[in-house]
Amino acid sequence: MITPMTKYSFIVLEREKDNFLEMLQKLGVVDITRSDKPVDEESGRIFSRIEGAKAELKSLETGEDALSIALKADRKALQEKIKVSSIWGDFDNERIEKLKQEGIGIRLYAVNAKKFDPEWENEYPLSIIDKEGGKVYFAIAGNDDFPMKEIEKPQKSVTEYTSELETLDLKISKHAMELEKRKIEIPHLKDLIHSLNVELDKYLAGVQGENAAENTVCVFEGFAPTENKEELDAKFEEMDIYCCSEEAKVEDNPPIKLKNNSFAKNFEVFTGMYGMPAYNEFDPTPFLSIFFLLFFAMCMGDAGYGILLVIIGFLLKGKEGGLAKLYKLIITLGIGTFFVGLVMGSAFGVDLSQVSWLPEAMRNCMITGEIAGYSAQMVIALGIGVLHISLAMITKSIWSVRKEGFKNSLSAIGWTLLIVGTVIVVAIALVGLVDENTAKWIIIGIAGVSCLGIFLFNKWGRNPLINIGSGLWDTYSMASGLMGDVLSYIRLYALGLSGGMLGSTFNTIAEMVKGQNPTWQWVPFVLILLVGHALNLAMSCLGAFVHPLRLNFVEFFKNSGYEGKGLTYNPLKK
């Protein structure tokens, strides 16, 4: 859910501005309207310091800075020179220069082997040096004209270049050791970056305050959760400021703070990836949490991989940065994958429905076989897709009524009644609660009522003919898009099937290598299983992350009318 916000307006004496902002940082709950980029020279200076410290931190963590990159580039260029120079062997440039002064020039050539004429050896003082890569490398002494273009001589011999390379390698090694020693500075740099960010945040909030009364007072506007109002009012009473508050309205565009239970909170990161809801919009996180977990588990489709994800999640616990922040989410996804994998009957590529030592009751819970000639797992995936889209349409109708009123939501209600009502009636008919003929007439009745909202009253007060035309266009869009949306959910079945088949293939290859009477074959057997399933786990996780996000961001959000254009709650804090 979206946390209700209170809007605050502050009038602060100019001389008390810094103390006031520092107090807000200590409170840590008031979001002062501010820029997220440098706005003047001072903020630019702080921002530059932050960027410089981040660059230095990255260089220490990776062991590579601007100097080491330049040294490696020099080394690569030197290796190329050695490669070119080695063709001509070891030579003395000084002696070549003396010969030139005495009228005996040494010229170097490289021509395609097909263009090399053997008669040249009889016509010119020519000596072939090397034949490599389809080319002939040769030298000619003297000043006779030759019908080919001369190439540039290497500036130094191989020995000289090799000596330079050894010196450069020592320099690179020494610099790498210096960076390694400086790794003790990493905690200090992290603290510096954090403190500079706090300083910048406070400064940006300060410069956003509107000056009034000839620069003697400043006016600030901010938002804080209503649940903190009593505490904040008491604190503001103690401060030498004027403060007034009111309930935040949609027009104020307050920042959005989500409030969900411990399970759904793990999935708020995905809501933030798409965009926070507006203040008068619904929070999609509860839907996202349930369906993303279900979709991820179906795409993985393997109980064994679920156990590995749980182990990985616990190993990341207590670590810093990267995926470590999401260790709770990884554990949750692993648990879901384990149970869904059991239901789908797969563990490390093994078909659990064929394992004799499993209890019969457990095998009976697995989804196997066919429904109406199609794979049962595929039919269930499509059924979940229909449910997902139906919930999206119901959500759209409810929130449309709340925002626009019942009269202005008849089109959304009509489509929801038609689609969802038909799905429910068909489901009831399939389980035998009503006969086919009765179901048909109920659907006809639902369609008749729905058409009133879709074609006649989709926009109240407008010309009926225009409404009918608009309804026909909506019908075309719905008919062409809805079927594609439902079919998108086949990927839940396809990804789970492909992952299971790939895991089974690695098992088969390992068994073939092991043979009937294994001795040393146990080593490649274990290696194939470890490498194969590690690769399959990585690929399965990638697909199981991307495609469930797409099904939620595209299919659900589109059919629910979710826009996600709200501002993220970002309070001033230490």
Side-chain angles (χ1 to χ4, degrees), residues 118-270:
E119 289 298 320
W120 290 343
E121 295 184 76
N122 299 324
E123 297 176 14
Y124 302 96
L126 180 152
S127 177
I128 295 176
I129 307 298
D130 199 357
K131 294 180 180 180
E132 183 181 330
K135 287 188 175 183
V136 178
Y137 297 87
F138 57 93
I140 293 180
N143 298 317
D144 298 332
D145 291 336
F146 188 75
M148 301 297 292
K149 186 178 179 181
E150 180 183 359
I151 66 171
E152 187 178 350
K153 297 182 183 69
Q155 295 178 352
K156 297 179 182 179
S157 67
V158 176
T159 302
E160 292 172 314
Y161 280 133
T162 303
S163 177
E164 283 187 19
L165 182 63
E166 291 173 355
T167 303
L168 186 59
D169 282 340
L170 287 173
K171 193 174 181 180
I172 291 173
S173 177
K174 183 179 178 182
H175 184 66
M177 291 176 63
E178 290 174 357
L179 287 177
E180 186 67 28
K181 290 178 181 178
R182 289 189 58 208
K183 282 192 173 182
I184 58 173
E185 300 175 22
I186 288 177
H188 169 71
L189 282 171
K190 288 182 176 180
D191 291 341
L192 176 62
I193 292 168
H194 178 70
S195 62
L196 287 172
N197 275 315
V198 171
E199 182 183 349
L200 179 62
D201 202 29
K202 176 184 172 183
Y203 183 83
L204 290 175
V207 297
Q208 290 298 310
E210 181 183 351
N211 290 329
E214 296 182 358
N215 290 326
T216 58
V217 296
C218 289
V219 180
F220 292 92
E221 181 182 276
F223 297 87
T226 302
E227 60 191 30
N228 300 113
K229 190 175 187 305
E230 290 186 13
E231 176 192 353
L232 289 175
D233 287 346
K235 289 287 184 182
F236 295 148
E237 282 289 331
E238 299 172 3
M239 300 170 67
D240 188 16
I241 62 171
Y242 171 79
C243 170
C244 64
S245 62
E246 60 179 323
E247 183 180 342
K249 302 180 181 64
V250 177
E251 310 84 70
D252 299 324
N253 194 24
I256 304 302
K257 180 185 179 184
L258 302 179
K259 185 178 182 180
N260 292 291
N261 58 39
S262 56
F263 167 72
K265 195 172 186 64
N266 293 320
F267 298 85
E268 288 180 357
V269 61
F270 298 135

Side-chain angles (χ1 to χ4, degrees), residues 397-463:
S397 296
I398 292 172
W399 283 93
S400 179
V401 170
R402 290 188 60 174
K403 289 169 62 177
E404 310 292 339
F406 180 81
K407 189 169 65 173
N408 296 318
S409 305
L410 290 176
S411 177
I413 294 172
W415 280 113
T416 302
L417 179 61
L418 178 62
I419 303 299
V420 179
T422 300
V423 169
I424 293 173
V425 173
V426 169
I428 292 174
L430 287 174
V431 298
L433 295 179
V434 296
D435 60 75
E436 184 180 337
N437 190 55
T438 303
K440 181 182 72 175
W441 284 106
I442 293 174
I443 291 173
I444 291 173
I446 290 173
V449 175
S450 301
C451 285
L452 294 175
I454 295 171
F455 294 104
L456 294 179
F457 304 111
N458 50 55
K459 189 170 182 63
W460 199 266
R462 191 167 60 177
N463 187 313

Side-chain angles (χ1 to χ4, degrees), residues 298-313:
M298 291 180 69
C299 289
M300 293 293 290
D302 192 287
Y305 293 166
I307 294 173
L308 291 180
L309 286 175
V310 172
I311 294 172
I312 291 171

Side-chain angles (χ1 to χ4, degrees), residues 32 65 93 98 135 186 233 235 299 322 334 354 356 363 377 387 397 400 403 426 472 501 561 568:
I32 293 290
D65 60 0
N93 265 315
K98 286 181 179 178
K135 287 188 175 183
I186 288 177
D233 287 346
K235 289 287 184 182
C299 289
Q354 303 300 318
S356 58
R363 291 205 298 271
Q377 293 183 5
L387 173 63
S397 296
S400 179
K403 289 169 62 177
V426 169
L472 289 172
M501 291 177 66
T568 302

